[in-house]
Amino acid sequence: MPELDPYEYLNIRIDPDGTVTRLLNLPPANANPDLNSGKAVFSKDAILSEEKNTAVRIYLPSNIITKHAATTTTVNEKMRLPIVFHFHGCSWVQFRANSTILHASRSLFAFTIPAIVILVDYRLAPENRLPAPYEDATDALLWLQKQALDPQGEKWLKDYGDFSRCYLHGSGCGGNIAFNAALRSLDMDLSPLKIDGIILNQPLFGGRKRTKSEMKFIADQVASLPAMDLMWELALPEGADRDHPFCNPMADGPHKSKLRSLQRCLVFGFGKDPLVDRQQEFVQMLILHGVKVEACFDDSGFHRIDIVDPQRAAILDEIAKGFIDS
């Protein structure tokens, strides 16, 4: 394969103190909480943990709100919206919840479903290695539970959200987070929350042994093998190898005893993605453990094609809508 600098590929520089300088600087998108602004989707930020510097951005589609008395209107129970947690992708080391790309895509998703979307601004590697993002995901679940139980909880969620229809949604490494958050949720009493499903868009998994698709697409423009090697080197706990369950859930481990209790899953994959063999192996593992799985694989797409192809992104959102509505 041609010479490739994985650091340049990921747009990062490792500093002497072990932190990262992120060279991909996207302009931030401000939240818009004004219900009278005329926007199709409103958004607001909330702090998860000041100590951890984590937060969530909440998206509320305007079509749930009547034109009159918008700030006080409540809805019929049957009209309440599902609540979808989203965990973003981008190699464990990039992006915050206020990035323009994430803000636009989650706004569109919230409007399409329609749903209340909670975009989790989790901690990034290598300053915060795994399982830090999983811990941030469970913090987000507990935060939502607190809002549900608190009479003075977050108004958008209290007025318009259906706490009995929660979903975990993630793309790339965010799919990995969503899966692990779902496993952790099985050990938690989240009442009155109910996680009704998991949506994994091209989830990022790995392993010590190379797969055929990884070798076939070794120099992929989006997910090259050297770049993925660096991602895992920066994200996994110190001393862990690529068959650690955080990276390779198909490897043996105590997590497998939980799989039979896992919520129903929707998994997306594309045939020209270096990760596709692992994703298909992951689906087979779930099926063998009795998980209800809807697998949507397309031979013609590549890793994260939905970022650059709006039509493909719209198709994925429509399939997710059908899964949530079913």
Side-chain angles (χ1 to χ4, degrees):
M1 64 174 292
E3 189 78 15
L4 188 150
D5 180 348
Y7 293 93
E8 181 179 347
Y9 194 94
L10 296 179
N11 290 290
I12 60 173
R13 183 182 70 238
I14 304 297
D15 297 321
D17 63 357
T19 60
V20 165
T21 296
R22 293 168 175 86
L23 306 174
L24 182 62
N25 295 314
L26 298 176
N30 294 326
N32 174 40
D34 182 3
L35 300 184
N36 298 309
S37 64
K39 296 289 187 180
V41 178
F42 310 115
S43 56
K44 66 167 69 170
D45 296 325
I47 294 172
L48 272 185
S49 169
E50 292 185 352
E51 179 184 359
K52 298 176 183 178
N53 192 30
T54 54
V56 294
R57 177 163 286 189
I58 309 164
Y59 295 85
L60 177 70
S62 62
N63 50 12
I64 190 62
I65 303 174
T66 61
K67 294 181 179 179
H68 302 288
T71 59
T72 58
T73 298
T74 57
V75 297
N76 183 288
E77 291 301 315
K78 293 181 179 179
M79 294 173 57
R80 287 184 174 274
L81 298 177
I83 299 172
V84 182
F85 287 91
H86 181 73
F87 306 96
H88 67 81
C90 206
S91 67
W92 301 113
V93 300
Q94 293 280 15
F95 283 7
R96 303 307 300 259
N98 65 352
S99 71
T100 51
I101 293 176
L102 285 173
H103 185 74
S105 67
R106 291 313 91 198
S107 295
L108 183 58
F109 184 88
F111 186 81
T112 300
I113 300 302
I116 295 176
V117 173
I118 300 177
L119 173 57
V120 181
D121 195 17
Y122 59 84
R123 289 171 289 172
L124 301 178
E127 297 93 339
N128 300 281
R129 292 174 175 267
L130 294 169
Y134 306 157
E135 294 166 355
D136 299 339
T138 54
D139 284 350
L141 290 172
L142 292 171
W143 175 85
L144 181 61
Q145 181 189 43
K146 181 179 179 181
Q147 307 313 308
L149 295 174
D150 184 355
Q152 304 302 316
E154 163 53 49
K155 185 173 177 58
W156 289 2
L157 297 167
K158 299 283 286 186
D159 285 354
Y160 306 113
D162 185 346
F163 295 107
S164 69
R165 288 197 298 153
C166 297
Y167 293 83
L168 303 178
H169 180 290
S171 299
C173 63
N176 179 301
I177 296 171
F179 168 67
N180 280 279
L183 288 177
R184 289 177 173 232
S185 76
L186 299 174
D187 298 324
M188 302 166 66
D189 179 7
L190 292 172
S191 180
L193 307 188
K194 179 185 177 184
I195 298 177
D196 200 35
I198 312 162
I199 302 171
L200 308 179
N201 178 18
Q202 305 153 79
L204 176 64
F205 300 120
R208 292 171 60 187
K209 184 178 179 180
R210 306 297 196 192
T211 66
K212 290 182 179 179
S213 61
E214 286 173 345
M215 297 307 297
K216 182 177 181 180
F217 303 110
I218 190 171
D220 182 77
Q221 292 186 355
V222 180
S224 73
L225 204 56
M228 287 194 290
D229 288 346
L230 178 59
M231 291 179 204
W232 288 115
E233 179 184 334
L234 297 175
L236 284 170
E238 295 282 0
D241 67 24
R242 295 274 286 276
D243 279 337
H244 190 288
F246 294 167
C247 178
N248 184 4
M250 284 71 75
D252 289 336
H255 66 286
K256 283 198 167 181
S257 64
K258 297 182 180 181
L259 292 177
R260 63 181 179 272
S261 301
L262 204 63
Q263 303 86 350
R264 63 194 181 106
C265 294
L266 170 63
V267 183
F268 294 113
F270 292 94
K272 295 182 180 179
D273 184 349
L275 303 172
V276 68
D277 285 353
R278 296 196 188 278
Q279 293 158 359
Q280 291 178 337
E281 185 182 357
F282 172 77
V283 167
Q284 290 302 312
M285 175 190 72
L286 295 182
I287 292 173
L288 287 173
H289 283 81
V291 180
K292 183 178 180 181
V293 182
E294 183 177 338
C296 297
F297 285 84
D298 185 333
D299 289 340
S300 64
F302 51 85
H303 188 66
R304 298 313 312 277
I305 187 176
D306 48 304
I307 293 179
V308 297
D309 185 341
Q311 183 176 6
R312 194 65 64 96
I315 292 172
L316 297 188
D317 286 354
E318 286 295 331
I319 295 173
K321 173 179 172 62
F323 178 78
I324 290 171
D325 288 344
S326 64

